[in-house]
């Protein structure tokens, strides 16, 4: 025996505790939780209880006289047989065996025991005793089962998830992936496990993905809202990535990366965004986009001390195109116009459809002289006719221009200034362009506000009629008047009918307003008649919109009756334009004539209609437009036209009246030409009814 072995023996002896056998017995008997049985082996073989500690006695239901009893005497038959068989197995197999058995308690609880059974031999190696140490392992089994089912549940969530889920280790390597992950990338499982996680995404996302991996491994969950991924075919799809660290005992053991495919949602959002910023008909940017872009451009130009132009374009007389070809035809024209306008767009000139027939260019960083050159190019686009249904049409635009920073500091006012400049162009004869100037502001009416006020004009009693006498040129007497509408608004003051009548027509307000005029005129006729002026006649203006409504006949008839006046005391003035649709106009005029009222053609000579209608329409009077009268004695041409109109009227048996007579010379000309009546400032301005009454007394 060497020195090392000697040392071991010594150590062993020094640690050996001299424990009393009784103490050991007591520990086993009362303090061990496991059940300990010692059985004596007898012939048969059979096994008899020699010793059972407290838990064993309790479990097997042993009474105090258990010593010497056999298994069969103590336990239920089935259980006893099972244990007996295990003990026999021990005898066959040798030193020690382990087995599990299950016991169902009377309460239904399932108990599982695990037993280690050992044989104790005597000096002659013959087995004397069998020792069974049995432990209730039910809680352990329960815990194991719970763990297994939790694992299965969690695995099912991963496996069946519609989002791609990758499990990564602490080195950021993919160690597991669900089916959705394979479907998203088109990799096989084997290949996917070899590809680096960040390699799944496009190059631009490399940095952010690397950050996600490091942050998550450090225990921090992270979300990337938008990240594009490339599949094995190189097809790009848009994803959202979320990482969740897997923490085991507070330490990160890897992480989950959930990759959601948001391609459809992204594309839908893109479409919605595109639609919200584009005009459907022309595909151009719309008003919303314009506001956004101009606001952005202001910020940009402010930084760069730059300038830009807003060019507001409106197609002249587009309403006529719409009226003639219908809305579909109008749309076709707009598309064709768009095609031409688009030719002028580039990286610094952007085109928008503002709405209707209005287009806007924004020229980034352009001087006013360049803008002017650009506008010339726009006008040049309209030099060639537009073809529609095998016919050629010439269309012209009117253009207003505003400039940043000169004309305003925010999008709304800059666009508004361009519109004011456009308005000025429209007022001054169209087909041209103008830069905004501050004086334009004063002339520009706020139509929206005006409409709101006009809506309440009747109820607020802001409307009234003025009457302009019509003088018989051979007798000098006044027998008739033209009723002219006046509007005195508390905000806008006196507004010219030339401004508010078109607004009323556009908004449909012309109907209640027109009815109001008919009633007031009839009422006034009745008042004058009651005062003895029984031959008085009043002419009222009927707007084309009103004229085409059947209701008009009913309304006029109703008021004639209500105020008990003869139809011959009422005259209606209709413009040539209103008689465009000949059949409908003829029907209407016949019905009006049937009522017995007079009908005159207002502003005669300025419309586009053929003179043919004069023969067939039941017309009584022609009113020579003031534009011809104004130039009498100065323009031979206008004199000739006036003469012709007077002759025409006479030859058709119509009465003729000249409007806008301001000078004596004009009166003389008209008298010589045998024009029956005249109306104008030379005789009298339009006046209130009470002022007229004073005149009537003078005249009669
Ligand atoms: P209109 O029917 O041709 O009316 C004649 C216009 O010429 C009136 O303008 C009148 O004030 C103006 N005037 C009369 N004599 C002279 C003159 O010697 N020199 C000049 N320069 N002008 C003269 P006002 O009242 O501004 O009306 C403008 C237009 O508004 C009218 O043209 C008519 O088309 C429309 N209007 C007026 N009242 C009504 C109405 O009650 N209903 C409808 N639908 N339209 C109306
Ligand atoms: Mg008139
Ligand atoms: Mg007129």
């Amino acid at each position: 025996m060497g020195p090392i072995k000697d040392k071991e023996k010594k150590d062993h002896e020094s640690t050996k505790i001299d424990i009393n056998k009784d103490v050991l017995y007591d520990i086993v008997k009362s303090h061990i939780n496991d059940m300990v049985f010692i059985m004596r082996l007898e012939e048969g073989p059979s096994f008899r209880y020699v010793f059972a500690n407290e838990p064993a006695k309790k479990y097997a239901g042993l009474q105090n006289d258990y010593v010497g009893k056999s298994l069969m005497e103590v336990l239920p038959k089935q259980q006893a047989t099972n244990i007996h068989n295990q003990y026999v197995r021990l005898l066959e197999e040798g030193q020690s065996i382990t087995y599990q058995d299950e016991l169902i308690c009377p309460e239904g609880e399932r108990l599982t025991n695990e037993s280690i059974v050992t044989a104790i031999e005597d000096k002659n190696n013959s087995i004397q005793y069998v020792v069974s140490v049995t432990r209730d392992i039910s809680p352990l089994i329960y815990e194991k089962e719970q763990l297994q089912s939790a694992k299965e549940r969690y695995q099912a969530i991963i496996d069946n998830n519609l989002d791609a889920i990758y499990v990564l280790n602490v080195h950021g390597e993919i160690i597991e992936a669900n089916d959705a992950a394979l479907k998203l990338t088109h990799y096989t499982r084997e290949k996917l496990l070899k590809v680096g996680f960040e390699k799944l995404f496009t190059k631009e996302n490399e940095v952010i993905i690397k950050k996600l991996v490091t942050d998550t491994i450090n225990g921090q969950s992270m979300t990337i809202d938008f990240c594009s991924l490339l599949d094995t075919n190189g097809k790009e799809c848009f994803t959202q990535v979320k990482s969740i660290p897997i923490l085991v005992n507070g330490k990160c053991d890897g992480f989950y990366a959930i990759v959601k495919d948001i391609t459809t949602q992204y594309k839908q959002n893109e479409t919605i965004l595109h639609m919200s910023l584009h005009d459907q008909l022309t595909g151009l940017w719309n008003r919303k986009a314009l506001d956004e872009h101009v606001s952005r451009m202001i910020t940009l130009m402010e930084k760069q001390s730059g300038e830009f132009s807003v060019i507001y374009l409106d197609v002249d007389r587009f309403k006529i195109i719409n009226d003639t070809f219908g809305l579909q035809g109008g749309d076709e024209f707009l598309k064709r116009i768009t095609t031409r306008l688009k030719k002028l767009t580039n990286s610094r000139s952007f085109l928008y459809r503002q709405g209707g027939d209005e287009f806007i260019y924004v020229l980034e960083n352009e001087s006013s002289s360049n803008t002017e050159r650009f506008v010339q190019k726009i006008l040049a686009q309209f030099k060639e006719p537009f073809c529609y249904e095998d016919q050629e049409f010439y269309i012209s635009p009117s253009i207003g221009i505003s400039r940043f920073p000169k004309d305003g500091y925010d999008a709304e006012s800059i666009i508004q200034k361009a519109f004011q400049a456009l308005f000025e162009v429209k007022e001054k004869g169209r087909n041209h362009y103008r830069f905004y100037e501050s004086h334009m502001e004063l002339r520009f009416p706020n139509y929206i506000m005006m409409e709101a006020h006009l809506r309440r004009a009747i109820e607020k009693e802001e409307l009234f009629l003025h009457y302009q006498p019509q003088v018989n040129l051979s007798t000098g007497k006044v027998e008739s008047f033209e009723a002219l509408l006046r509007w005195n608004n508390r905000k806008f003051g006196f507004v010219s009918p030339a401004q508010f009548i078109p607004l009323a027509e556009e908004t449909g307000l012309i109907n209640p307003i027109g009815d109001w005029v008919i009633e007031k005129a009839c009422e006034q006729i009745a008042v004058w008649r009651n005062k003895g002026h029984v031959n008085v006649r009043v002419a009222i203006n009927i707007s084309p919109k009103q004229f085409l409504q059947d209701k008009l006949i009913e309304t006029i008839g109703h008021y004639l009756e209500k105020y008990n006046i003869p139809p011959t005391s009422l005259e209606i003035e209709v413009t040539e334009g209103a008689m465009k649709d000949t059949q409908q106009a003829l029907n209407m005029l016949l019905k009006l004539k049937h009522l017995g009222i007079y009908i005159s053609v207002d502003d005669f000579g300025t419309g586009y209609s053929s003179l043919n209608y004069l023969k067939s329409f039941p017309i009584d009077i022609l009113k020579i437009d003031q534009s011809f009268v104004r130039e009498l004695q100065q323009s031979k041409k206008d004199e000739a036209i006036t003469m012709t109109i007077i002759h025409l009227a006479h030859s058709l048996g119509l009465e003729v009246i000249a409007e806008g007579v301001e000078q004596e010379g004009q009166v003389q000309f008209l008298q010589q030409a045998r024009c029956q009546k005249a109306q104008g400032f030379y005789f009298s301005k339009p006046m209130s009814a009470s002022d007229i009454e004073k005149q009537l007394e003078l005249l009669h």
Side-chain angles (χ1 to χ4, degrees), residues 195-442:
V195 185
F197 182 62
E198 68 264 20
K199 291 277 180 300
L200 297 178
F201 300 90
T202 53
K203 195 113 188 77
E204 309 85 71
N205 294 296
E206 210 174 300
V207 175
I208 183 96
I209 291 290
K210 276 191 174 151
K211 180 172 164 40
L212 174 128
V213 172
T214 0
D215 282 9
T216 318
I217 288 169
N218 286 329
Q220 192 101 51
S221 166
M222 188 174 158
T223 306
I224 305 171
D225 282 326
F226 189 81
C227 193
S228 34
L229 176 144
L230 282 183
D231 71 9
T232 51
N233 305 321
K235 197 177 140 223
E236 188 176 21
C237 68
F238 306 111
T239 63
Q240 188 187 52
V241 183
K242 184 171 180 60
S243 66
I244 304 162
I246 304 170
L247 298 174
V248 177
N249 296 329
K251 263 188 79 185
C252 183
D253 188 42
F255 68 95
Y256 297 112
I258 305 171
V259 180
K260 193 181 183 69
D261 182 357
I262 54 166
T263 311
T264 318
Q265 195 185 333
Y266 174 79
K267 285 193 174 154
Q268 268 170 3
N269 286 349
E270 283 282 284
T271 316
I272 292 169
L273 186 69
H274 185 272
M275 278 167 71
S276 76
L277 293 176
H278 286 80
D279 166 53
Q280 275 213 326
L281 178 73
T282 59
L284 295 177
W285 295 103
N286 63 12
R287 169 79 210 226
K288 187 166 175 267
L290 173 77
D291 288 344
E292 282 178 18
H293 294 182
V294 172
S295 299
R296 252 185 270 155
M297 201 173 287
I298 289 173
T299 321
L300 188 73
M301 290 298 117
E302 264 169 355
K303 271 193 208 140
Q304 300 177 357
S305 303
E307 48 187 355
F308 69 87
S309 307
V310 171
I311 300 174
Y312 205 127
L313 181 152
D314 178 281
V315 181
D316 293 336
R317 297 175 215 275
F318 190 73
K319 201 177 161 304
I320 298 180
I321 297 179
N322 257 346
D323 288 349
T324 317
F325 301 106
L327 288 180
Q328 253 179 336
D331 283 354
E332 277 309 311
F333 274 93
L334 287 173
K335 283 197 222 161
R336 278 156 217 213
I337 292 168
T338 304
T339 311
R340 292 200 193 174
L341 294 179
K342 260 164 92 172
K343 288 186 195 161
L344 301 178
T345 57
N346 56 42
S347 60
R348 278 167 63 193
S349 66
F350 311 97
L351 179 61
Y352 304 81
R353 182 171 174 218
Q354 152 78 8
D357 59 342
E358 295 173 359
F359 297 86
I360 288 182
Y361 281 103
V362 177
L363 304 191
E364 188 183 330
N365 236 336
E366 283 297 5
S367 65
S368 60
S369 52
N370 277 349
T371 303
E372 205 157 353
R373 271 193 286 278
F374 188 87
V375 170
Q376 297 292 1
K377 284 190 206 158
I378 302 176
L379 292 173
Q381 290 299 323
F382 289 85
K383 288 257 154 61
E384 293 297 314
F386 287 80
C387 282
Y388 182 71
E389 289 179 349
D390 295 335
Q391 277 192 52
E392 292 189 336
F393 298 90
Y394 284 90
I395 294 175
S396 64
S398 293
I399 294 169
I401 309 154
S402 64
R403 305 259 309 138
F404 174 86
K406 184 172 107 10
D407 300 331
Y409 292 99
D410 61 272
E412 197 187 331
S413 48
I414 293 176
I415 297 166
Q416 175 78 350
K417 297 288 163 56
F419 183 62
Q420 290 179 14
L422 168 70
F423 184 79
E424 192 83 2
V425 176
K426 290 268 179 201
E427 291 274 285
K428 300 256 163 73
R430 304 156 199 263
N431 192 14
H432 194 58
Y433 68 91
R434 264 168 200 263
F435 280 89
Y436 173 79
E437 287 165 39
S438 54
H439 67 80
M440 294 174 179
E441 186 97 30
L442 303 170

Side-chain angles (χ1 to χ4, degrees), residues 68-84:
K69 289 198 172 162
S70 72
L71 280 172
M72 297 296 173
E73 285 165 330
V74 170
L75 296 177
K77 195 172 171 225
Q78 181 68 43
Q79 202 185 350
T81 314
N82 284 349
I83 296 174
H84 177 88

